[in-house]
Amino acid sequence: TQLLEQSPQFLSIQEGENLTVYCNSSSVFSSLQWYRQEPGEGPVLLVTVVTGGEVKKLKRLTFQFGDARKDSSLHITAAQPGDTGLYLCAGLRWRGDGQNFVFGPGTRLSVLP
Amino acid sequence: DTEVTQTPKHLVMGMTNKKSLKCEQHMGHRAMYWYKQKAKKPPELMFVYSYEKLSINESVPSRFSPECPNSSLLNLHLHALQPEDSALYLCASSQERGVTYEQYFGPGTRLTVT
């Protein structure tokens, strides 16, 4: 069972277009992180959202955490080829033996010049 | 500084070899992680160390043996691996940030088992 779902799985757009990708769960997470990963490299942390309804902006990227802390979205304005990569969301989960991050399957974005 | 370093960058090993992957961070983070990532898949948690003690082992086969010599270093010892163990191995560390934790990844070691 996938705790976190992401949609769409793949997205190919032209430079300058806007896009939104989604991260959804039936579980509540205490916080959620978004990463971008390029081929053969480690994921790079973009943002952490903690409070339900929170909105954070990082230049052309806008992140929102759902009111119930079960879902999140990432909106990119005027996409550029440098935005190409795998976008991963990860939710922080507390277990009896410690905390760990649960990853969604990712959205693979391709921005064409 | 949010740097996690990993060595080597690439590793090719035979099924009878013994090798080790190394990870280092100097950010004072007290939790460190090993993940395995196959092509076109998200990272898959293997081990978590918290305060230098193994806190989570996600039922990883014993041919993978983690070690945390001190708060800055994390090793993954490999022995008698199978070709299906070929993957990108990622190390990460995390720090408490208010009510949550933030996790930072290293660049990974691309492992090929022949």
Side-chain angles (χ1 to χ4, degrees):
Chain A
T1 303
Q2 190 81 44
L3 281 179
L4 278 171
E5 303 287 345
Q6 289 188 245
S7 60
Q9 275 190 287
F10 303 96
L11 188 56
S12 182
I13 61 171
Q14 293 294 134
E15 183 175 2
E17 291 184 13
N18 301 333
L19 67 116
T20 303
V21 297
Y22 300 91
C23 174
N24 297 290
S25 175
S26 56
S27 303
V28 175
F29 288 97
S30 58
S31 66
L32 203 137
Q33 301 189 331
W34 284 92
Y35 296 84
R36 180 171 65 229
Q37 185 178 24
E38 298 190 30
E41 299 291 329
V44 175
L45 178 64
L46 297 175
V47 79
T48 301
V49 285
V50 177
T51 307
E54 182 176 7
V55 176
K56 281 192 173 178
K57 290 184 186 292
L58 185 67
K59 297 183 181 177
R60 295 177 292 101
L61 279 59
T62 302
F63 304 85
Q64 186 160 8
F65 202 14
D67 290 341
R69 292 186 290 133
K70 291 183 178 181
D71 54 86
S72 182
S73 64
L74 158 58
H75 181 79
I76 302 179
T77 304
Q80 299 176 0
D83 296 326
T84 293
L86 177 67
Y87 287 82
L88 293 159
C89 65
L92 178 63
R93 184 175 64 165
W94 294 93
R95 301 163 36 158
D97 49 0
Q99 87 279 359
N100 73 303
F101 295 86
V102 176
F103 280 83
T107 292
R108 196 164 296 277
L109 173 65
S110 177
V111 182
L112 306 173
Chain B
D1 180 16
T2 55
E3 188 179 29
V4 177
T5 59
Q6 289 188 245
T7 55
K9 179 91 171 145
H10 301 276
L11 178 62
V12 179
M13 61 185 289
M15 290 190 283
T16 58
N17 291 158
K18 284 186 182 182
K19 296 286 185 184
S20 296
L21 309 185
K22 296 186 183 301
C23 173
E24 191 166 3
Q25 58 89 11
H26 293 288
M27 298 176 279
H29 294 179
R30 304 316 298 263
M32 296 185 75
Y33 309 75
W34 281 114
Y35 289 87
K36 173 182 177 180
Q37 188 176 26
K38 301 285 271 186
K40 303 192 189 303
K41 297 286 187 184
E44 179 185 331
L45 182 67
M46 300 174 72
F47 303 104
V48 180
Y49 272 83
S50 180
Y51 289 87
E52 301 162 50
K53 293 193 187 312
L54 183 65
S55 61
I56 296 177
N57 176 343
E58 292 287 59
S59 303
V60 179
S62 60
R63 57 185 185 269
F64 296 92
S65 175
E67 179 196 20
C68 189
N70 60 56
S71 60
S72 300
L73 291 174
L74 188 65
N75 299 322
L76 186 62
H77 302 298
L78 314 172
H79 174 53
L81 295 194
Q82 304 296 311
E84 59 265 29
D85 296 322
S86 299
L88 182 67
Y89 287 84
L90 295 163
C91 173
S93 67
S94 69
Q95 67 172 5
E96 217 172 320
R97 182 81 74 182
V99 298
T100 187
Y101 285 79
E102 289 191 336
Q103 183 176 219
Y104 298 91
F105 282 86
T109 293
R110 172 70 59 192
L111 174 67
T112 303
V113 182
T114 61

